[in-house]
Amino acid sequence: MPFHVKSPLRRVATRLSVVIALLVAAALAVVWIALVPTLQRRLVAGRLHQLADSAKAVRREAAETGIDQDFIDEAARSAEARVVYFEPVARGSGTALFSQFDSAHFAYEAPGVESDPIALRAAASLSVQTGRVSHGGEPFAEAAVADRSGNVLLFSARLRSTLEEVGLVRSRLLWAGLAALGLAMLAGYGAATVFARRIRRLERAAERIAAGDFGEPVVDRGRDELGELAAAFDRMRLQLAQLDDARRAFIANASHELRTPIFSLGGFLELLRDEDLDEETRREFLGTMSEQVERLAKLATDLLDLSRLDAGHLRLVQEQVDVAGLAGGLSEEFAAVALRLEHPLETLVEAEGAVTADRERALQIGRILVDNALRHTPPGTPVRVVARGTSLAVEDEGPGIPDEHREQVFARFTRLAGRRSSGTGLGLAIARELAQRMGGEVRLDSVPGRTVFTLELPAAVPEREPAGVM
């Protein structure tokens, strides 16, 4: 299956870099909106405040010394502004302002003094007035104050240098923002490319796992979420590999178990076609064929139970079950088999008890345990079915099961070497899974000369007796 690597990488990297660029651009826009106008307002406000303080100070000093041209020029130099002293004169319906003194040093393209809005407000209110005005298209900061005689001191300063400083800040911020945006896009594209390649490696690993290739580990050395995802993928790979091995082993074992009795039946059918067989041999062949058919039927039943257990479709009817009754029923059912196999079979009730379980499935587990004890121990070995409260135990005095094989006996299609084998190797696996589905367990305790399989089930909740009538 061909992999198209470049297109997804470029697509993811481009998208991530664009997202990073948009975030950086949005941050720069916020800084721009918040910084530049605020800086300009504060610089202008600071200049106006400075001019207002100068106007107040000059008014106090003028009240003591009087005003002349030298006084005005000195005030202009200290305030770094043009200073004009006006005398308001009524004219018609309005008020015109006429200059008596004007600071000569700062008479740069001096605008006309008539009808200056800041001076008019100061003359009318007799208080300090400030504001930003425009003369000839050029911005000025102005402060005006009236003296005791009603004349007005007007301080006027150009804002060109102040606004040029703001423009310089704006320009540098713009270029710095563009540089940061470019670097962010480059860095974002590079980081996104690396990130996308890691994602692509995970994608290829997922495709390998989906195709059934579990040999190559999923490796990502990152310590972020992608690294954790890769570790989860590798755990999934190992689990799927185990499941695949179990599936293959199951198919191989099931095929073998089915093939053996079928081949045996086919061979006996060929022999039965021989008309020279005596009646006793024919009956012997038919008996063996009957055993093989029973073996096939049992294998089919076990496989069906396993498929239901695996699919979760096994239905259990929970009810109150008497353990002693289970033990007695199993002993009666296997009495003939025990006699044929030359095993003494005994039932013991050490403690009465009831459990909550599916009666038929509990009996099925008991049959598996008793059948194993009868078939996998030497003839003459005593077997006991024991009821102990909420547990049902099957004991035998056989050679026992080695410690290293105690869990192995519960695996599917497992039969220990050197033991008598006529089953399918599925019984104990089914018994354990059925017990777990009913909230119980199957335990094994074994020493040479004594083996005990115990079925433990949840104790039944006693039913409440109806209250008596008073």
Side-chain angles (χ1 to χ4, degrees):
M1 183 183 206
F3 295 105
H4 302 285
V5 179
K6 291 185 178 179
S7 178
L9 285 179
R10 289 177 178 173
R11 186 164 56 249
V12 173
T14 302
R15 289 179 180 177
L16 288 178
S17 59
V18 168
V19 169
I20 293 174
L22 289 176
L23 291 176
V24 173
L28 291 173
V30 171
V31 172
W32 180 281
I33 295 173
L35 177 62
V36 174
T38 302
L39 177 63
Q40 180 172 313
R41 284 195 300 271
R42 288 187 177 182
L43 289 176
V44 172
R47 188 62 172 136
L48 290 173
H49 184 71
Q50 181 184 7
L51 292 177
D53 289 343
S54 298
K56 293 177 183 177
V58 169
R59 181 177 62 175
R60 287 194 298 269
E61 188 176 350
E64 298 175 358
T65 63
I67 297 177
D68 56 16
Q69 187 64 49
D70 292 337
F71 180 87
I72 293 298
D73 290 339
E74 180 62 28
R77 280 191 294 271
S78 63
E80 296 183 354
R82 176 195 179 194
V83 179
V84 184
Y85 186 59
F86 292 107
E87 179 183 1
V89 178
R91 176 179 293 177
S93 60
T95 301
L97 297 174
F98 296 94
S99 173
Q100 292 178 330
F101 300 104
D102 194 345
S103 53
H105 182 68
F106 286 91
Y108 39 72
E109 301 178 3
V113 297
E114 294 83 0
S115 302
D116 185 275
I118 305 301
L120 288 173
R121 290 209 307 266
S125 65
L126 300 179
S127 62
V128 178
Q129 299 293 320
T130 60
R132 176 178 171 177
V133 298
S134 178
H135 295 297
E138 184 175 355
F140 285 84
E142 290 187 349
V145 62
D147 60 9
R148 294 178 180 177
S149 61
N151 294 336
V152 177
L153 277 166
L154 174 65
F155 288 72
S156 179
R158 281 179 173 175
L159 290 176
R160 179 185 298 173
S161 59
T162 301
L163 297 181
E164 286 176 351
E165 292 177 0
V166 175
L168 180 61
V169 171
R170 183 189 295 113
S171 176
R172 290 183 177 179
L173 181 62
L174 177 61
W175 285 111
L178 291 176
L181 187 62
L183 289 175
M185 291 189 68
L186 290 176
Y189 188 84
T193 300
V194 174
F195 194 74
R197 285 176 180 169
R198 294 172 63 193
I199 295 175
R200 187 57 183 169
R201 284 198 297 269
L202 289 181
E203 182 183 354
R204 288 197 295 266
E207 290 175 352
R208 287 197 308 270
I209 293 173
D213 180 8
F214 307 113
E216 186 176 347
V218 182
V219 179
D220 189 295
R221 304 188 186 282
R223 297 184 179 180
D224 53 5
E225 288 79 1
L226 270 184
E228 295 175 359
L229 181 61
F233 267 48
D234 198 57
R235 291 193 297 270
M236 179 186 70
R237 176 188 67 85
L238 294 175
Q239 292 175 357
L240 289 176
Q242 293 175 355
L243 289 175
D244 189 63
D245 292 342
R247 177 184 63 83
R248 293 176 186 274
F250 180 86
I251 293 174
N253 290 326
S255 300
H256 174 74
E257 293 294 333
L258 288 169
R259 186 167 55 248
T260 300
I262 289 174
F263 285 171
S264 177
L265 287 172
F268 281 115
L269 286 174
E270 289 291 334
L271 292 173
L272 287 174
R273 290 195 182 98
D274 188 353
E275 297 179 357
D276 295 335
L277 288 176
D278 57 84
E279 188 61 28
E280 183 179 353
T281 304
R282 189 181 297 274
R283 282 197 300 271
E284 182 181 347
F285 285 177
L286 289 174
T288 305
M289 291 173 66
S290 178
E291 290 178 358
Q292 296 297 333
V293 170
E294 290 178 1
R295 184 178 177 184
L296 279 173
K298 187 175 186 306
L299 178 60
T301 302
D302 288 346
L303 290 175
L304 180 60
D305 285 340
L306 280 178
S307 66
R308 288 174 176 172
L309 285 169
D310 291 340
H313 295 159
L314 189 68
R315 185 185 176 194
L316 298 175
V317 179
Q318 300 286 64
E319 57 182 325
Q320 184 170 311
V321 179
D322 179 60
V323 178
L326 286 178
L330 289 170
S331 295
E332 292 178 5
E333 183 177 343
F334 281 89
V337 177
L339 183 61
R340 178 168 58 85
L341 297 177
E342 302 177 5
H343 285 282
L345 182 61
E346 183 183 2
T347 303
L348 296 176
V349 179
E350 296 182 357
E352 296 283 348
V355 296
T356 299
D358 185 303
R359 181 183 297 274
E360 291 303 318
R361 296 301 177 181
L363 280 172
Q364 181 180 355
I365 296 172
R367 291 188 189 105
I368 292 171
L369 300 181
V370 175
D371 185 70
N372 276 355
L374 294 176
R375 295 184 183 276
H376 299 299
T377 55
T381 303
V383 176
R384 289 179 294 276
V385 183
V386 185
R388 296 191 179 100
T390 60
S391 65
L392 175 71
V394 178
E395 304 176 355
D396 67 68
E397 298 179 8
I401 299 174
D403 291 344
E404 62 269 19
H405 294 152
R406 290 189 181 179
E407 282 301 316
Q408 184 181 349
V409 297
F410 291 102
R412 299 180 181 186
F413 292 108
T414 297
R415 290 191 294 268
L416 300 184
R419 295 176 63 87
R420 299 176 57 192
S421 175
S422 61
T424 62
L426 296 174
L428 290 176
I430 293 174
R432 169 170 278 189
E433 293 194 35
L434 283 175
Q436 291 173 349
R437 294 296 176 90
M438 292 187 290
E441 61 174 340
V442 175
R443 299 192 307 271
L444 168 61
D445 299 299
S446 182
V447 294
R450 185 172 185 270
T451 300
V452 182
F453 282 93
T454 303
L455 169 62
E456 185 75 34
L457 292 170
V461 179
E463 297 181 359
R464 295 183 179 180
E465 296 183 359
V469 180
M470 298 297 293

